[in-house]
Amino acid sequence: METTTIIYSQALMLLAGAVVAAPLFKRLGLGTILGYLAAGILIGPVAQQITEGEEILHVSELGVVFLLFIIGLELKPSRLWQMRRDIFGVGTAQVVITGAVLSFLIAFSGLLEGAGSIVAGFGLALSSTAFAMQILEENNDTNTRYGQRAFSILLLQDLAIVPLLAIIPLMAAQAPEDTTTPLEDFAIAIAAVAALFAAGRYLLNPLFQVIARTGARDVMIAAALLVVMGAATMMQLAGLSMAMGAFLAGVLLAESSYRHELEADIEPFRGILQALFFMAVGLSLELQVVAENLLSIIIAVPVLMLVKSLVLYGLCRATGSRHNDAVRIGLLLPQGGEFGFVLFTAAAAAGVFSQATSSLLVAIVTLSMALTPVAAMLSRRLMHKQDELAEEIEEDFEGAGAGADVLMIGFSRFAQIASQILLAGGRDVTIIDHSAARVRQAATFGFRIYFGDGTRLDVLRAAGIEKAKIVAVCTQKKEVTDKIIDLVHAEYPNARIFARSYDRLHTLELRARGVDYELRETFESGLLFGRKTLEALGVNGDEAIGIMDDIRRRDEARLVLQEAEGITAGRDMLHSRPVRPEPLVKPKREVTQPDDALADLADETLEKAE
């Protein structure tokens, strides 16, 4: 009973630490991974509340197993083929060259020798996927050229952890009772991989088909866990890592029709166990080792980041990237990564090097991850301003300068629908968008679309803004929309601007900016949805249309009031409870004079917009 109480109290502390630290560190821009590490360090080495960090680490390694399974699920052969040059060319070269250089430096410094220096060097060559992707998403750079190339390098690094984990047992000193030779161990591993591929080809899909027919959701989740754990255990028994088995199982199911359901079933387990893993790394960190080697860590971190940045920059430039993109990539991926924790922990457990060395390497990776946002900001100072236009616009703008009736900036779902109306009406539309993937996809459907940043004046000029009759700003982010509108107003004060609004507050801000017309992205679709729902409930079609029109007029009248009096004005015009049908049939007989005035004011505003 006492043991059970201790387990519960430890689980409570770990959960509380994760809940407090992860959001705090994410808000600070440091990422949840450092939050989990900090929580583990605080609970374990600092407060000494949990001292069995290594035991928790063994259980939490399942989080890494599930993560590798999900990565395997995402790796469809078709996707790999499209990105093959960057993944297997630049990505492989980065891991090999950086790993070799760092291994040499580690051995030269006397920190480690032989197998230990190789594992440490290649472990430090891996970058943090979580940190890099977070920065790309925050800057809206995921679909840019440099973002795609950075993602390709990260993907290869994620794949590289599989063979790196697989060779650790071969590097570890064999136990005295081990009667097999390394060659025999290798043959067993190859046989296990072949058996796993055979099972995946002939057993996994039929298994999920049978379970799916039963309709038992719980059994499907159990089957997903069974596949991951079974494949991981098979690889472990063959002398390889559990993570490699899970990864191979994921690849085998990447083309399966059950892929998305499997990913959804595994994701909750992966998230909580991965968080537990990073907390367990913090729990097992030896602070005394870190304190004794503080000077070495302070020297090693900038050396690590400098070596990785130079190698990445050189490779990107050698394979066609412009200076600015190469700088961005070099300073986006200079840090150590979360898979380094996995590799160092596994190497320490296998006896490749000591737990003290593992703690030292974890401290180096952790500090380099903390410095990642600083490195990313530094990249802006090292870019060449004169190369910006050439880097941002690759597509040929020939024909765009001739002018079109409408220059549409942004081509998300909202703009795609609006463009259909314009094109069906026989109007010429020039479209620019900052997403390379969206540009390529839209171009395949025959749209006159160009890659470019609508917040840049030179791009707008190249796209023909001077001859456009209307500038339609349909960008997704509120800040980007405002920036474009301010730019157009400043340079082309006579331009007619139609804008997509994010929400009601944004609508009021756009009206204050003096746009000719704005529309909330969900307003009309919400009205139509409500009207159709009323009709489905038995309301007459004409009556439902009347109600919809009344709500539209009320909304416009509220906006007019809010422009003058603030966002809280006009609350009495909102329907917060069912309304009797009589006023809706003959609304003009029921309204008071102030409401008539508001309706007239709204009608005038609508007429101006039209």
Side-chain angles (χ1 to χ4, degrees):
M1 184 66 185
E2 184 179 352
T3 303
T4 304
T5 303
I6 293 174
I7 293 174
Y8 284 157
S9 63
Q10 290 182 349
L12 187 62
M13 279 189 288
L14 291 172
L15 289 172
V19 169
V20 173
L24 177 61
F25 273 67
K26 184 156 182 79
R27 185 64 182 267
L28 294 173
L30 298 176
T32 56
I33 293 173
L34 284 183
Y36 295 136
L37 282 169
I41 293 171
L42 184 62
I43 295 171
V46 175
Q48 294 291 316
Q49 294 298 309
I50 299 178
T51 56
E52 302 84 8
E54 292 186 7
E55 295 180 8
I56 296 175
L57 194 60
H58 292 316
V59 177
S60 61
E61 283 176 354
L62 291 176
V64 180
V65 170
F66 290 148
L67 174 61
L68 266 293
F69 176 73
I70 290 176
I71 290 175
L73 282 177
E74 295 294 332
L75 293 183
K76 289 185 177 181
S78 57
R79 187 184 182 195
L80 287 174
W81 182 252
Q82 290 176 354
M83 304 169 67
R84 63 190 182 279
R85 182 172 174 268
D86 285 341
I87 295 175
F88 300 108
V90 182
T92 301
Q94 184 274 328
V95 171
V96 172
I97 295 174
T98 307
V101 172
L102 292 175
S103 297
F104 170 78
L105 291 176
I106 291 171
F108 182 77
S109 66
L111 179 62
L112 290 168
E113 296 179 357
S117 65
I118 293 174
V119 172
F122 278 84
L124 292 172
L126 306 180
S127 303
S128 173
T129 301
F131 268 69
M133 292 307 296
Q134 177 184 341
I135 292 173
L136 287 174
E137 289 173 3
E138 288 175 353
N139 295 333
N140 199 27
D141 287 341
T142 306
N143 291 320
T144 60
R145 288 187 310 282
Y146 96 89
Q148 289 289 304
R149 173 159 276 197
F151 174 75
S152 299
I153 295 171
L154 289 168
L155 183 57
L156 191 280
Q157 292 179 355
D158 291 345
L159 295 176
I161 191 63
V162 177
L164 288 175
L165 287 172
I167 65 173
I168 283 181
L170 302 179
M171 291 184 170
Q174 286 188 312
E177 63 272 12
D178 191 353
T179 58
T180 59
T181 65
L183 184 60
E184 290 173 334
D185 291 338
F186 183 74
I188 292 172
I190 294 298
V193 171
L196 183 59
F197 269 93
R201 184 176 180 85
Y202 299 107
L203 295 179
L204 291 185
N205 270 319
L207 170 66
F208 285 112
Q209 287 174 2
V210 171
I211 296 174
R213 291 193 191 103
T214 66
R217 169 72 176 166
D218 293 343
V219 178
M220 182 66 81
I221 296 175
L225 293 173
L226 176 63
V227 167
V228 180
M229 296 299 297
T233 303
M234 181 187 295
M235 290 297 103
Q236 186 182 42
L237 293 176
L240 300 176
S241 69
M242 296 180 70
M244 182 177 183
F247 172 78
L248 292 176
V251 172
L252 292 173
L253 290 168
E255 298 285 0
S256 170
S257 56
Y258 302 100
R259 178 173 69 90
H260 295 294
E261 185 166 357
L262 287 170
E263 186 173 356
D265 290 340
I266 293 296
E267 183 63 31
F269 298 96
R270 180 206 64 82
I272 190 66
L273 286 171
Q274 191 177 341
L276 183 61
F277 172 81
F278 291 121
M279 293 183 73
V281 171
L283 289 171
S284 58
L285 191 68
E286 296 182 7
L287 291 183
Q288 183 179 355
V289 174
V290 175
E292 292 173 355
N293 296 274
L294 188 59
L295 181 61
S296 299
I297 294 173
I298 293 175
I299 296 173
V301 170
V303 170
L304 166 67
M305 300 182 76
L306 180 63
V307 168
K308 293 184 74 172
S309 295
L310 291 176
V311 171
L312 284 163
Y313 177 84
L315 284 173
C316 290
R317 291 288 282 161
T319 52
S321 290
R322 295 181 181 273
H323 169 79
N324 285 8
D325 282 350
V327 167
R328 288 187 182 109
I329 295 171
L331 292 176
L332 178 70
L333 309 177
Q335 75 290 119
E338 51 270 15
F339 278 124
F341 300 143
V342 179
L343 194 64
F344 302 147
T345 303
V352 176
F353 45 63
S354 66
Q355 182 61 44
T357 301
S358 176
S359 295
L360 179 61
L361 293 171
V362 166
I364 293 172
V365 171
T366 302
L367 187 55
S368 69
M369 291 169 73
L371 292 175
T372 298
V374 178
M377 288 187 290
L378 178 64
S379 65
R380 300 170 190 167
R381 296 181 174 273
L382 299 178
M383 291 191 293
H384 294 164
K385 293 183 179 180
Q386 62 268 28
D387 292 340
E388 281 293 299
L389 180 59
E391 291 192 15
E392 292 298 333
I393 305 176
E394 281 193 340
E395 283 73 15
D396 183 9
F397 270 68
E398 183 179 355
D405 296 315
V406 178
L407 172 60
M408 182 171 285
I409 306 171
F411 200 55
S412 56
R413 292 168 297 178
F414 181 93
Q416 291 166 21
I417 296 170
S419 68
Q420 290 295 292
I421 301 291
L422 298 172
L423 294 170
R427 301 298 181 177
D428 287 331
V429 182
T430 295
I431 307 163
I432 59 175
D433 194 281
H434 198 45
S435 166
R438 192 178 296 134
V439 168
R440 286 193 296 268
Q441 184 180 15
T444 61
F445 290 94
F447 287 100
R448 186 181 177 186
I449 187 168
Y450 303 91
F451 177 79
D453 184 354
T455 63
R456 295 178 56 84
L457 179 60
D458 42 17
V459 172
L460 296 178
R461 286 173 176 165
I465 188 174
E466 295 175 349
K467 298 181 180 179
K469 297 175 182 177
I470 291 177
V471 179
V473 184
C474 302
T475 44
Q476 290 178 308
K477 289 191 174 182
K478 171 181 175 295
E479 315 81 56
V480 176
T481 299
D482 294 345
K483 187 175 181 180
I484 294 172
I485 290 172
D486 291 342
L487 175 63
V488 174
H489 270 319
E491 299 294 331
Y492 302 97
N494 296 324
R496 297 178 65 193
I497 300 177
F498 281 38
R500 163 190 177 173
S501 166
Y502 178 74
D503 56 16
R504 192 174 197 86
L505 283 172
H506 193 208
T507 287
L508 295 171
E509 292 173 7
L510 291 178
R511 292 190 177 193
R513 278 182 162 83
V515 300
D516 294 88
Y517 177 75
E518 51 70 34
L519 180 66
R520 273 167 285 161
E521 57 190 25
T522 57
F523 182 64
E524 289 294 335
S525 57
L527 288 177
L528 180 60
F529 186 89
R531 191 194 97 196
K532 289 294 184 181
T533 305
L534 270 182
E535 292 175 358
L537 293 171
V539 176
N540 178 269
D542 291 338
E543 184 178 348
I545 292 174
I547 293 173
M548 182 179 71
D549 291 340
D550 177 64
I551 296 300
R552 187 185 285 111
R553 285 192 296 269
R554 284 172 176 267
D555 183 81
E556 180 60 32
R558 283 182 61 222
L559 284 171
V560 172
L561 277 176
Q562 288 170 334
E563 282 186 89
E565 302 177 19
I567 190 64
T568 59
R571 285 183 296 180
D572 58 314
M573 303 177 69
L574 285 171
H575 291 307
S576 58
R577 57 181 59 86
V579 178
R580 291 179 301 173
E582 291 79 4
L584 297 174
V585 176
K586 299 178 180 180
K588 292 184 180 179
R589 298 180 182 178
E590 295 290 330
V591 295
T592 62
Q593 183 61 35
D595 287 331
D596 284 333
L598 287 173
D600 292 338
L601 187 57
D603 289 339
E604 291 175 7
T605 307
L606 287 172
E607 287 174 3
K608 290 179 181 178
E610 293 171 353

